[in-house]
Amino acid sequence: MTELAAVKAALKTQAVETPSWAYGNSGTRFKVFAQAGVPRDPFEKLDDAAKVHEFTGVAPTVALHIPWDKVEDYAALAEHAKARGVRIGAINSNTFQDDDYRLGSICHPDAAVRKKAVGHLLECVDIMDATGSRDLKLWFADGTNYPGQDDVRSRQDRLAEGLAEVYERLGEGQRMLLEYKLFEPAFYTTDVPDWGTAYAHCLKLGDKAQVVVDTGHHAPGTNIEFIVATLLREGKLGGFDFNSRFYADDDLMVGAADPFQLFRIMYEVVRGGGFTSDVAFMLDQCHNIEAKIPAIIRSVMNVQEATAKALLVDAEALAAAQASGDVLGANAVLMDAYDSDVRPLLREVRQEMGLAPDPMVAYRECGWAEKVVAERVGGQQAGWGA
């Protein structure tokens, strides 16, 4: 197999998971702008996700968020997904939108609140069983706002205890993916603020616990690709929440603010074997002012382009330059790959997969947007908290 053929083969196996909540109305803490044709329930979200997969060919799974995607029959929801050509992906828990969680969820000083939070996480594992989902994705808003508000060490003990109980409930082939975030909504301490904290808990839990890297959850200037390389080296990188940011956790479309960073991350993924392992590539974005489905299609394409460039890095030339101490030569190898126009290559890949060469044009011409605007009249649109 030629080098180019190998790159094409790798791109055809790529899979990017799309988030159910990105198909609904979303916004900032100030305003959520509604759009015509937005899904009214999880079944319609899956219908929209199926269109993304239809035109990109690499978005076969859809992450759910509980209780935003709560239904009476999860097996029926999984069957609906299958009938549309997609599958249920990660199950995301929600321990931040209940009044009881004002002082935390599984780190809360009150045992009754902790029990309630763990019960929700166990419910999410039940949903995994019913839908065939592999991954339970956990993000905790737990933390404190003021020095002395609570005992920092005790909160870590409570976190470890709650995670251990949920970990023991996981079945064969299921994983716990622990996400971290530097700050917000807590402003003094966050109970899972960084990759080191998440890694420490996952290491203690065992092989079924891995770390999720959200590209928007770091301090300015953080070298995210170093974190990715380290977690891959330790076998503890479970997945990504891909998005982009200019200031803090903006949840903009992946690659929007710094496409070069996305390339550098994907190079470390390719270099560390993460592209051919069980690392889950997920989107976690807030489509506030842009149309939902086109934004998700464009996001998937952005990940594809960064991946294609990463796959084009001349590994032998790079290793030789590094070994000889050729600083500028090594950098030039990376820059040559990044500066490559991979759009023609990706158009070829899509055509070989039986897809339209330009997913954005194909979606725009298919009439789905007009169809859902006409049909999705009445009821309550899905959105944050809905």
Side-chain angles (χ1 to χ4, degrees):
M1 183 181 292
T2 66
E3 181 180 345
L4 186 59
V7 170
K8 285 185 174 182
L11 289 168
K12 291 173 185 177
T13 66
Q14 187 168 31
V16 180
E17 185 163 297
T18 68
S20 68
W21 54 95
Y23 296 98
N25 289 320
S26 57
T28 69
R29 69 191 66 183
F30 302 106
K31 174 66 176 176
V32 173
F33 296 103
Q35 296 183 17
V38 160
R40 296 163 295 182
D41 57 45
F43 293 91
E44 291 183 345
K45 291 179 183 179
L46 291 173
D47 293 341
D48 285 357
K51 304 307 288 187
V52 174
H53 184 48
E54 176 183 340
F55 294 115
T56 65
V58 294
T61 58
V62 187
L64 301 184
H65 202 295
I66 308 301
W68 296 348
D69 293 317
K70 200 162 189 175
V71 296
E72 292 185 3
D73 190 338
Y74 289 101
L77 187 66
E79 283 299 315
H80 183 84
K82 182 179 179 181
R84 298 299 185 272
V86 293
R87 306 186 309 277
I88 302 299
I91 305 300
N92 291 254
S93 61
N94 184 321
T95 54
F96 52 86
Q97 282 195 316
D98 194 293
D99 285 345
D100 284 344
Y101 300 142
R102 183 171 61 92
L103 300 178
S105 60
I106 68 171
C107 300
H108 198 288
D110 187 333
V113 176
R114 297 199 300 274
K115 181 178 180 180
K116 173 181 176 177
V118 169
H120 168 67
L121 303 184
L122 295 175
E123 175 195 13
C124 288
V125 181
D126 292 339
I127 295 171
M128 292 170 65
D129 293 340
T131 59
S133 170
R134 177 187 65 171
D135 295 332
L136 171 67
K137 190 144 71 67
L138 306 177
W139 172 72
F140 298 105
D142 293 37
T144 64
N145 278 357
Y146 298 98
Q149 177 183 322
D150 200 356
D151 185 75
V152 173
R153 181 165 177 167
S154 295
R155 293 181 73 89
Q156 288 297 308
D157 291 339
R158 299 167 200 154
L159 175 64
E161 181 180 348
L163 290 175
E165 183 175 349
V166 179
Y167 185 89
E168 289 302 315
R169 169 65 181 81
L170 294 175
E172 190 69 28
Q174 292 179 337
R175 306 187 303 176
M176 171 189 291
L177 305 183
L178 182 58
E179 189 176 347
Y180 58 90
K181 186 176 182 180
L182 178 65
F183 77 101
E184 193 188 41
F187 294 108
Y188 174 62
T189 63
T190 302
D191 290 313
V192 191
D194 51 40
W195 72 276
T197 305
Y199 173 72
H201 282 282
C202 289
L203 191 64
K204 186 174 182 180
L205 287 166
D207 293 341
K208 292 182 180 180
Q210 294 185 305
V211 180
V212 169
V213 175
D214 186 304
T215 50
H217 284 188
H218 305 83
T222 298
N223 191 314
I224 300 175
E225 55 267 35
F226 173 81
I227 298 171
V228 170
T230 301
L231 290 173
L232 275 170
R233 182 174 179 271
E234 298 298 323
K236 280 295 184 181
L237 181 63
F240 289 93
D241 273 3
F242 277 135
N243 51 51
S244 199
R245 64 93 180 270
F246 287 102
Y247 297 108
D249 183 24
D250 303 335
D251 279 349
L252 297 172
M253 290 167 51
V254 58
D258 189 352
F260 185 45
Q261 181 192 64
L262 180 60
F263 160 75
R264 299 193 309 266
I265 290 171
M266 291 311 301
Y267 168 71
E268 291 300 337
V269 169
V270 171
R271 165 69 178 83
F275 190 64
T276 56
S277 69
D278 288 333
V279 176
F281 301 95
M282 300 172 278
L283 303 179
D284 183 14
Q285 302 177 163
C286 169
H287 303 297
N288 183 18
I289 57 176
E290 64 270 37
K292 314 298 181 182
I293 298 176
I296 297 173
I297 291 175
R298 181 66 256 181
S299 298
V300 172
M301 294 173 67
N302 288 350
V303 175
Q304 286 181 299
E305 290 176 14
T307 304
K309 292 180 179 185
L311 289 165
L312 288 174
V313 172
D314 188 333
E316 291 185 6
L318 181 61
Q322 291 170 340
S324 66
D326 185 355
V327 176
L328 293 180
N331 177 252
V333 173
L334 279 182
M335 294 310 299
D336 283 344
Y338 177 69
D339 290 336
S340 300
D341 184 358
V342 296
R343 291 174 298 177
L345 170 64
L346 285 165
R347 285 194 288 268
E348 287 182 22
V349 168
R350 295 185 188 107
Q351 288 176 311
E352 291 174 8
M353 294 172 66
L355 304 171
D358 189 330
M360 294 291 285
V361 172
Y363 173 73
R364 188 163 58 244
E365 294 177 348
C366 79
W368 183 258
E370 295 79 10
K371 172 182 167 64
V372 295
V373 167
E375 293 182 353
R376 294 174 183 172
V377 178
Q380 183 178 352
Q381 290 186 329
W384 286 359

